[in-house]
Amino acid sequence: MAALKLLLLSVLGAAARTEDEIYRWLFSSHGLNLGSADAAREAPILTQCAVGVDYLTKLKAVLYSTSSLDYSMSTIQHILIPLAKQHVDPEELNSLFQKLYSTKGVDLSRTDAQSRSLELAKAYAEAGQVQELWNVLYSTNGVDLPKRDAQAKTLELAKAGCDPLALQNSFRAASGSKDDRLNQAVSSALRANLNGEARRYAKDGVAYDVKGFQDHYGAKALMEWADAPPEMRMAPDHKAYTASQFRVYFTSNWERYWHAAPVATQRRLAEDGKAYDLPDFFSWYNSRHEDWQQKWEEAPELPCKECSAALMVV
């Protein structure tokens, strides 16, 4: 009992130090240069989200650097904290922006590349897949869409997660008009992505694979899948990962580890200031007749239940 008490005091003390460090970084001119009241309001929430100063510094560098997103400081003051609460990966955010902005990539305007890279990063999109999808959709050896159409479709499919090779092969094998062939190919490529292992939480709060979404939503399956929160599972490092992150973590034979891994109990902070796991979050907002998926996307992401428990292990 005494050992547990000392452990709890140690954890609480560390949390207080982290909150103070975050407050000072948010308030400092070397950090976010917020007012004292704003910094005091946000520091406890970021601490609950298990965000640290090192992470905040890296995220600011990507957002501010002229070789990356190149936002103004006034804009960063508004967008950095919501991104941090979602644990957006600074390196992946930069990679997504580079793929979207490069003339060898999707070739969006800087303004569009900035905003769409933020959107894709929050959706766990993969920068490498963005480039490969663009190559298939815009190439004369692939779907050969007009540039604007190829840009829009790349963004749509990258957010959902779509296997580029399966897209190309399915398009070549399909019959009918170009639109019909592309629709058939997209449907097949969605199922092929991550070997169909990924699941997302539909409007009813239940996790389904792509085929489940397609069977239920039909023509609206792509949109519904793209907007649905992904299932996460626990890796050996006691962290929760999506299926695509699991593939990166394990590289080979990742599916075997994915099957064996327990589903993570994801948690978010609702507008009443309370932490809810996904089923309770769904129930709370559903009872208020509000779009729980949109609220989940916007809500601060807390460490999963299993992640928090691991932090308490001596």
Side-chain angles (χ1 to χ4, degrees), residues 230-242:
E231 179 186 71
M232 291 184 168
R233 299 194 182 185
M234 296 300 298
D237 64 355
H238 305 296
K239 295 180 181 179
Y241 295 99
T242 64

Side-chain angles (χ1 to χ4, degrees), residues 158-175:
K159 182 178 180 182
C162 187
D163 188 284
L165 181 59
L167 180 69
Q168 179 167 286
N169 291 340
S170 298
F171 180 79
R172 289 174 176 173
S175 59

